[in-house]
Each structure stands twice: as structure tokens, then as C-alpha cells.
Amino acid sequence: MAQPTPWTPARSARDLGRFARTVRRRRGISQTALADELGLTRQYVSEVEAGVDNLYITRLFEIFDELGVDVRLVEREQDA
């Protein structure tokens, strides 16, 4: 029987960034490599992982909270 997939609650930009950093590191990808693949700067990836607030993300979590919505992050399995 398959184990349930563990999920991580997300309530802020910091939670999203921390999850992204954990997954990136687990997969052995550098910030630079991820940034290059996405056409971003390494600095931007660093800011996302640090959970630098932006108004859009902050408001989105306020809306979810008001509506009683939980955001749960689950890492997908990598393609073989």
C-alpha cells in the first residue's frame, strides 16, 4: 500500500520560499542553474527562497485565510 504523500502547510511567502529551497537542494540544483533554466537572475531566486514579501503574495495569503483555505505544498516525484 502506498504511503500518503507528506505535505507542508504554507501561510506566507517565507513558507513558499523555504519549501522551494528544500526541494531545490534535495534535487541537487544550484540557485544559478535554476535561475538560468527559468531565465531569471540568481538574486531573484535567492529572494524567493528567503521569502521576501511582495504585496501580491501577502494579499493572496490574506484572501486564503479569510476564505478558510489551506495551502499545502507537495513535492511531485521526478520523472524517471
Side-chain angles (χ1 to χ4, degrees):
M1 183 183 297
Q3 291 285 83
T5 304
W7 55 269
T8 301
R11 299 196 179 275
S12 67
R14 180 173 288 178
D15 292 339
L16 294 175
R18 191 176 300 136
F19 186 79
R21 180 180 56 234
T22 298
V23 173
R24 177 185 59 75
R25 286 179 174 171
R26 183 178 304 128
R27 294 186 180 191
I29 302 169
S30 70
Q31 284 183 341
T32 301
L34 180 59
D36 289 347
E37 184 67 28
L38 296 172
L40 305 170
T41 66
R42 190 212 53 82
Q43 179 65 31
Y44 183 80
V45 172
S46 176
E47 289 175 2
V48 168
E49 289 184 359
V52 173
D53 272 333
N54 72 47
L55 185 58
Y56 175 77
I57 295 295
T58 300
R59 290 290 184 207
L60 186 60
F61 278 104
E62 289 173 355
I63 291 168
F64 288 155
D65 189 48
E66 187 64 27
L67 294 174
V69 173
D70 288 332
V71 177
R72 297 177 179 183
L73 304 170
V74 178
E75 182 179 356
R76 290 188 308 235
E77 291 186 29
Q78 288 182 289
D79 295 331

